[in-house]
Amino acid sequence: MTFHGLYDGDQVIFTGVRGMTELNHCPPRVVKMLSPTLISIGDTSTMSDYEGGGTLRQIRVSEFKSFKPMKDSLLNPSFVTTDDFKTHLLPLVHMAFLALHEYTKATGSLPRPWHDGDARRFLELFADVRRTCPVALEEVDEDLLRKFACTAAGELVPVNAVIGSIAGQEVLKACSGKFTPVSQWLYYDALESLPVDTSPLTAANCAPEGGRYDAQIAVFGRDFQRKLENLKYFIVGAGAIGCELLKNFAMLGIGAGERGRLTVTDMDHIEKSNLSRQFLFRSWDVKKSKSSVAAAAVRRMNPEVNIVSHELRVGSDTEHFYNSDFYSQLDGVANALDNVEARRYMDGRCWHYRKPLLESGTLGANGSVQVVVPNITERYIVHGGSHKNAIAMCTLKNFPGNINHTLQWARDMFEGEFRQPCELIKQYLEDPSKVQQILKAPTPLDIEEVKSLKEAIDRIPRSFKDCVKWARLHWEEQFHFQIAKLLSQFPADHKTESGAPFWSGTKRCPHPLKFDVAEEEHLTFVLAAANLMAESFGIPQLRDPEAIANMVKEVEVPDYDTWKEPLSESMGALKLSDLKIAIPPPKDLEGLVLNPLSFEKDDDTNLHMDFVTSASNLRAENYDIEKADKYTSKRIAGRIIPAIVTSTALVAGLVTVELFKVIQGHETLRLYKSSEFSLAIPRFCSMEPEAAPVKVYNDIEWRPWDMFEVEGEVTLEDFFDLFEKKHELSISMVAEGNQVIYSSFLKPKEKQRRMKMTILAILQELLGEEAAPKPGSFVMLDLNAKDREGKRVEVPFVRYSICASSGCKD
C-alpha cells in the first residue's frame, strides 16, 4: 500500500496512463483527499475507459506572501515556533529583546556577564517596556529574564551556526523565490544548556581573560571552558556535517587542552562536488584524504587544538585499532555518517563502552539530530532501522514505476558487472584453498558464491572485441530476453487470483526493446559497457563509436528461444562434482589484470555515468517511464539529494548545543533535545528524547544500557551455574553475534562437550584462532533465558571480559 501524501487543493499531473489517455500531460488537476491512499480528481466521465498504468506527480504552486512593516510587526508580532514546549515564552523573549535595545541605548553597552547589578537594571527596563508594549504576556518568568541579561554579552559558536544557517536560507529564498519564508519572527534559545545550578557563574568567574574564548566564558565561565579544552572526542566522518562539526569544535577550543584531543576518521577522498558544501576543502585538495585535509584546516583555524586524523572505516574490520583502549579514553562520539549501517555500528560501540553519542543527518533542506546518553535516553538503533526511501528488490527487478527505480537498478548493475566479478576472482587467486574448503562441506550460500565465481571466470575477455561482444549480448539479455521472460510468466492480460488485472496500479506492463545500432542510446550502452569491461580487466580501450558499431554488427545474437539463462541461474542443477571441475586452477589465470571499478559520478571522462544513464533510460523505455538526462541521472544515481550548507550548518549547530549538556552530565531527560527541521517549509521541531525503556525480569527493572558483567575465563557450565544461583535465570541459548555458543537444539553429545569448555575455547573453535577474541578484550553475549517461574523473559546482554586469570566474577 502506498500513501500519496496529498491534501485537498494540491495539484497533480499524470503520465503513462493507458486507456484514459486524456489525462496524460493535461493541465494540472486539483485533488480532493478521500483517504491516505485515495484521492479524487473530479469528473472523468467524458474520458475513455481506464486500462492501467500511469504515474501522478504533484505540481508545486506559487504562493504570494506579504509581511507587516517592521514598525507594526514589532508591536504585533507573529512567531515561527522552534520548540513546542517554549511557544508560550515567545512573546516574553520578543519583549526581552525590545528591553535589551533600551538597555544598550541607556547604558551604551550590553549587561555584563552574570553581573547582579546589571541584571537588576535590565529587569527594571523590562518592566518599563512591558507597560508601553501592547504584546500580551501570559506570565513573566524572571529567572529566564535574568539568564537572558546575564548571557546577552556572550556569544556561542553553535548558536551562531543555528541562527546564521536559518538567516542564510532566508536570503536564498529572497533571491530565488523558492521555498516558503519565515513568517515573521523566529527566536531560538538553548537556556537548558546552562548548568542546573548557576550559582558558580559569577561576574568574576565569567569575566574576560583577553583570549579567543572570552565570548563563551561569558556564558559558561572559566571552569567549563577548561573542561571543553580537555575533552577527548571522536568525530566519525569528515564530509559535509563532519566539516561543520570540526569547525564548531575548533572554535570552541575542544581538544585544545593538555589532556584534550580530537580524533577524526574518514576513508573517503575529496571530489569536486564536495567543494560546494564542505567548506574546509579547496579546489587544490581534490583527490586528497578528507580527514587529513580537514584536520589541517582545523589546525589553521585554531593551532591550539590537538587533532589526529585517520583514514579508516569504522566497522568490525578495524576493531583491532578502535579497541577498548581507544574508546575507554573518549568522552564521547559525534557521528557525521551517510548510511544507516555505519550509524548502527557506532551506536553499538557507544553502547558497549557506555559513551554518549551525538547523531545527525541531512536530506536536502531537511535535517535531524538525536542525542543518545547512557542510562537516560533510548539508543539510536531503536529509530535507525528503516529507510524511508528504500526501494524493494522486487520493484527494482521487475516492477519499476519511476526513473529513480531504473537508476537504482542501473547503479546496482554497474556494481554487479564491473566491480564484484573482479573482486571475486581476486579473492580466489589470493586464497585458492578457500574454494576447496567450501566444496568439502558446502552450504547453499557457499554454492551460490562458487557459482558466481565460475560465472566471473567464464566471462573474462581476452580482447576488446570480446568486450564488445559481451556488451552487445548483455544489452539483449537485459532489455529484450529478460522482459520477454517476464511477459511469458505474466502476460499483458494476466489476472491475479481475485480476477483483478496483474499489470495495474504501480505495476507497469513492460515491452521488449529491439536493438538498433543507429539508435544513440543503444550504441552508448554498448560503447560504455565494453570500455568499462575492458578497463576492469586491463585491456586497452576504444572510444570510437563508428568502430564499435562495426564490431557490433559482427556479433551473433541468439533469438529468445535459444537464449540460455545466466550462469548463476542455470547452474542450479549442477552436482558438487561438476562444481569442483568447473573452477580452473590459479595457474590457468596467471598474468590476469584485475581492476575492480568503484563508481565515480563526477568524472565525465570515465564513462560511469554514460553507462548508468543509458542503462536506466533503456529500462525506462521498457516500462514506458519518462527518461532523465545525464545531469538528473547523476544527481539521483550518485545517491545525492544535494546537501546544502545551510542545513548541514544547522545540524552541526544543534549537535554542538547538545554537547554542552552532555559535558555537564545533565541527568534530567527534558533538558536534552532531539530535533527535526525543514528549512524549506520552514518547520522546526525540538522534542524531549525518548527515555531508555524499562524492562523487567524476576521483579528487577533494567534498561538497554544495563549489562551483566562477567570477568575471567569460565566454562559454560560455570557460566550457567552463576546465572542460576545469583540471578535465578535458566539459560537456553548463548550467542555472540551470529555465533551460537550454546543452544537447547544442539545434539546431546555436543551439549555435554561444550558445557565443559570455556567460552573462549568455544569461540576459538567457531571463529578460528585469528578471529577469536584476545585476552584483555571482551565480547557481548546475548542470552535466551527463563525467570524463576519458568517464563521466557528478555534480559540484559552479558559483557564478558576475557582475561588471563581464572574464575568468574559478577
Side-chain angles (χ1 to χ4, degrees):
M1 184 178 292
T2 302
F3 295 98
H4 50 66
L6 299 170
Y7 295 92
D8 288 351
D10 285 346
Q11 297 185 24
V12 297
I13 60 172
F14 292 83
T15 57
V17 178
R18 299 195 308 278
M20 197 181 287
T21 54
E22 296 89 343
L23 280 177
N24 292 330
H25 305 294
C26 72
R29 299 185 72 93
V30 178
V31 164
K32 181 178 180 181
M33 178 184 170
L34 302 178
S35 76
T37 59
L38 292 175
I39 59 170
S40 169
I41 57 170
D43 184 14
T44 59
S45 59
T46 60
M47 297 182 184
S48 51
D49 292 339
Y50 176 70
E51 293 178 5
T55 300
L56 67 79
R57 179 165 59 90
Q58 184 180 0
I59 299 298
R60 301 295 181 184
V61 181
S62 297
E63 184 180 354
F64 182 79
K65 288 283 186 181
S66 63
F67 300 96
K68 293 179 245 179
M70 173 68 81
K71 182 179 178 181
D72 296 341
S73 186
L74 281 170
L75 301 177
N76 185 22
S78 57
F79 302 107
V80 172
T81 301
T82 59
D83 186 335
D84 287 339
F85 291 99
K86 297 179 179 178
T87 301
H88 65 290
L89 296 175
L90 292 176
L92 178 65
V93 173
H94 180 75
M95 197 175 293
F97 272 100
L98 297 180
L100 186 64
H101 292 310
E102 294 301 318
Y103 185 98
T104 55
K105 284 181 189 177
T107 65
S109 65
L110 293 166
R112 284 168 288 183
W114 299 96
H115 190 282
D116 289 338
D118 286 4
R120 284 195 298 272
R121 174 69 173 140
F122 172 80
L123 288 170
E124 292 168 0
L125 282 170
F126 178 87
D128 293 340
V129 169
R130 185 186 181 192
R131 281 191 289 270
T132 60
C133 182
V135 178
L137 296 181
E138 292 182 15
E139 58 181 289
V140 175
D141 185 338
E142 287 204 359
D143 181 60
L144 183 150
L145 292 173
R146 181 178 178 276
K147 289 176 180 176
F148 182 97
C150 289
T151 59
E155 195 171 339
L156 296 176
V157 169
V159 175
N160 288 348
V162 170
I163 298 301
S165 59
I166 297 171
Q169 189 67 52
E170 292 305 300
V171 172
L172 292 173
K173 291 175 184 178
C175 295
S176 66
K178 187 175 182 180
F179 300 146
T180 307
V182 168
S183 180
Q184 198 161 355
W185 292 93
L186 183 148
Y187 289 107
Y188 169 78
D189 79 77
L191 284 173
E192 67 277 358
S193 298
L194 291 171
V196 175
D197 178 12
T198 60
S199 59
L201 297 177
T202 62
N205 189 26
C206 298
E209 298 179 322
R212 68 183 297 160
Y213 307 120
D214 281 352
Q216 56 209 45
I217 287 174
V219 178
F220 288 113
R222 292 192 185 93
D223 295 339
F224 186 77
Q225 181 58 39
R226 300 294 91 84
K227 187 178 287 189
L228 283 175
E229 293 169 15
N230 286 299
L231 284 178
K232 294 184 177 71
Y233 246 80
F234 185 27
I235 298 180
V236 188
I241 295 175
C243 282
E244 292 296 319
L245 285 175
L246 286 166
K247 176 201 72 179
N248 288 353
F249 282 28
M251 294 294 96
L252 289 172
I254 293 174
E258 290 183 8
R259 299 184 302 279
R261 185 174 69 252
L262 285 181
T263 303
V264 59
T265 189
D266 195 313
M267 64 184 294
D268 204 1
H269 290 73
I270 299 164
E271 302 172 5
K272 286 182 183 178
S273 62
N274 300 149
L275 303 180
S276 65
R277 60 189 180 275
Q278 300 175 21
F279 287 171
L280 298 189
F281 308 144
R282 299 293 181 264
S283 57
W284 52 83
D285 295 322
V286 171
K287 303 300 182 185
K288 295 179 183 176
S289 159
K290 284 187 175 181
S291 57
S292 61
V293 172
V298 165
R299 295 186 191 101
R300 290 193 297 273
M301 282 189 287
N302 188 347
E304 298 173 352
V305 173
N306 304 308
I307 184 167
V308 178
S309 65
H310 300 151
E311 295 179 36
L312 299 175
R313 184 181 74 89
V314 290
S316 56
D317 54 334
T318 55
E319 286 180 6
H320 65 285
F321 188 87
Y322 298 123
N323 53 22
S324 57
D325 291 338
F326 175 81
Y327 282 100
S328 63
Q329 45 82 37
L330 290 178
D331 293 297
V333 175
N335 273 351
L337 293 160
D338 61 358
N339 66 89
V340 169
E341 181 184 359
R343 287 183 169 106
R344 280 184 154 190
Y345 175 81
M346 287 309 302
D347 172 74
R349 293 291 89 188
C350 291
W351 170 64
H352 284 182
Y353 297 102
R354 294 188 175 96
K355 300 296 178 183
L357 172 65
L358 299 170
E359 170 57 51
S360 59
T362 65
L363 193 67
N366 303 326
S368 63
V369 171
Q370 184 180 356
V371 56
V372 180
V373 185
N375 302 316
I376 296 175
T377 72
E378 67 176 5
R379 293 174 56 192
Y380 164 78
I381 202 168
V382 174
H383 287 319
S386 63
H387 265 309
K388 288 183 181 178
N389 298 320
I391 303 170
M393 284 304 297
C394 63
T395 297
L396 288 180
K397 189 171 182 182
N398 295 323
F399 311 121
N402 57 55
I403 199 68
N404 289 37
H405 296 161
T406 65
L407 278 163
Q408 181 67 60
W409 176 84
R411 273 287 284 112
D412 291 347
M413 187 198 291
F414 181 98
E415 299 291 322
E417 303 301 340
F418 308 121
R419 183 177 66 82
Q420 293 168 4
C422 279
E423 288 183 344
L424 270 175
I425 299 171
K426 217 171 187 178
Q427 291 167 8
Y428 170 60
L429 295 180
E430 288 171 357
D431 185 12
S433 62
K434 182 183 177 184
V435 171
Q436 300 308 318
Q437 292 171 1
I438 285 174
L439 294 175
K440 287 179 182 176
T443 67
L445 286 176
D446 293 333
I447 294 293
E448 290 303 314
E449 188 174 349
V450 175
K451 288 179 186 177
S452 298
L453 174 61
K454 168 62 176 168
E455 183 178 2
I457 292 173
D458 280 356
R459 75 171 201 179
I460 294 173
R462 303 299 176 182
S463 66
F464 189 78
K465 278 192 174 182
D466 287 349
C467 297
V468 172
K469 179 180 179 181
W470 170 85
R472 172 64 184 91
L473 295 177
H474 196 62
W475 188 102
E476 200 71 23
E477 179 180 320
Q478 297 301 320
F479 307 113
H480 186 95
F481 293 159
Q482 293 286 7
I483 300 299
K485 178 187 174 185
L486 182 63
L487 288 172
S488 69
Q489 296 171 327
F490 305 104
D493 58 356
H494 187 71
K495 298 286 194 294
T496 65
E497 291 182 1
S498 63
F502 179 83
W503 296 105
S504 63
T506 58
K507 289 191 178 76
R508 292 168 172 263
C509 184
H511 64 274
L513 303 184
K514 185 175 181 180
F515 185 83
D516 184 350
V517 74
E519 285 282 345
E520 183 180 0
E521 199 89 72
H522 297 197
L523 186 59
T524 297
F525 177 90
V526 175
L527 185 150
N531 277 281
L532 292 172
M533 176 64 74
E535 183 183 359
S536 62
F537 286 99
I539 295 171
Q541 298 183 44
L542 177 64
R543 302 287 184 94
D544 182 359
E546 186 176 347
I548 290 176
N550 290 330
M551 291 182 193
V552 166
K553 293 172 184 176
E554 297 176 7
V555 177
E556 291 186 18
V557 180
D559 58 29
Y560 177 68
D561 293 333
T562 58
W563 168 62
K564 293 182 178 179
E565 292 283 347
L567 186 63
S568 56
E569 297 178 27
S570 63
M571 286 183 71
L574 285 181
K575 299 177 182 177
L576 187 59
S577 57
D578 297 325
L579 278 174
K580 290 178 180 178
I581 298 170
I583 308 298
K587 65 179 181 179
D588 290 358
L589 302 175
E590 286 181 4
L592 186 64
V593 176
L594 294 168
N595 179 31
L597 303 185
S598 296
F599 181 69
E600 170 53 63
K601 66 185 182 301
D602 292 318
D603 183 350
D604 290 333
T605 66
N606 63 12
L607 295 177
H608 293 195
M609 277 309 307
D610 296 79
F611 173 82
V612 167
T613 303
S614 61
S616 170
N617 283 339
L618 288 165
R619 186 158 178 82
E621 189 178 344
N622 278 138
Y623 286 86
D624 295 319
I625 294 169
E626 191 172 347
K627 298 180 180 180
D629 59 28
K630 189 174 176 181
Y631 174 79
T632 303
S633 299
K634 179 188 289 191
R635 177 173 59 82
I636 301 171
R639 292 191 177 98
I640 51 170
I641 292 177
I644 55 177
V645 74
T646 47
S647 55
T648 52
L650 177 51
V651 150
L654 294 170
V655 164
T656 312
V657 166
E658 294 308 305
L659 175 65
F660 291 151
K661 307 170 189 178
V662 170
I663 295 167
Q664 295 176 70
H666 284 340
E667 295 182 357
T668 305
L669 184 69
R670 63 178 175 78
L671 296 178
Y672 294 97
K673 298 290 181 182
S674 289
S675 305
E676 292 183 0
F677 65 82
S678 171
L679 285 170
I681 299 175
R683 177 181 64 84
F684 305 91
C685 180
S686 294
M687 66 212 89
E688 184 179 293
E690 291 292 326
V694 178
K695 303 179 182 182
V696 179
Y697 73 90
N698 287 339
D699 301 323
I700 297 172
E701 292 186 349
W702 64 281
R703 291 172 173 79
W705 293 96
D706 296 325
M707 302 174 193
F708 294 117
E709 298 275 358
V710 177
E711 294 183 9
E713 255 300 81
V714 296
T715 65
L716 197 57
E717 188 174 42
D718 290 338
F719 183 85
F720 278 29
D721 286 345
L722 170 73
F723 279 88
E724 182 73 43
K725 293 173 182 176
K726 184 166 185 177
H727 302 292
E728 298 182 271
L729 291 171
S730 172
I731 299 172
S732 58
M733 190 200 77
V734 182
E736 193 273 322
N738 294 326
Q739 301 298 324
V740 177
I741 294 171
Y742 177 87
S743 169
S744 57
F745 296 108
L746 291 173
K747 293 180 180 179
K749 284 187 178 180
E750 182 61 16
K751 285 184 189 177
Q752 293 174 8
R753 187 179 75 88
R754 291 195 183 186
M755 291 296 281
K756 300 299 180 183
M757 296 172 68
T758 66
I759 290 176
L760 176 58
I762 297 172
L763 287 172
Q764 287 173 336
E765 189 176 274
L766 293 172
L767 298 168
E769 289 281 348
E770 289 298 317
K774 304 296 183 287
S777 65
F778 69 86
V779 293
M780 305 301 294
L781 302 180
D782 189 6
L783 306 181
N784 277 1
K786 294 181 180 179
D787 62 13
R788 64 167 78 101
E789 296 176 357
K791 295 179 182 177
R792 188 175 296 279
V793 288
E794 194 174 349
V795 297
F797 277 73
V798 179
R799 193 177 193 270
Y800 182 82
S801 299
I802 297 171
C803 53
S805 61
S806 61
C808 183
K809 300 177 186 177
D810 177 60

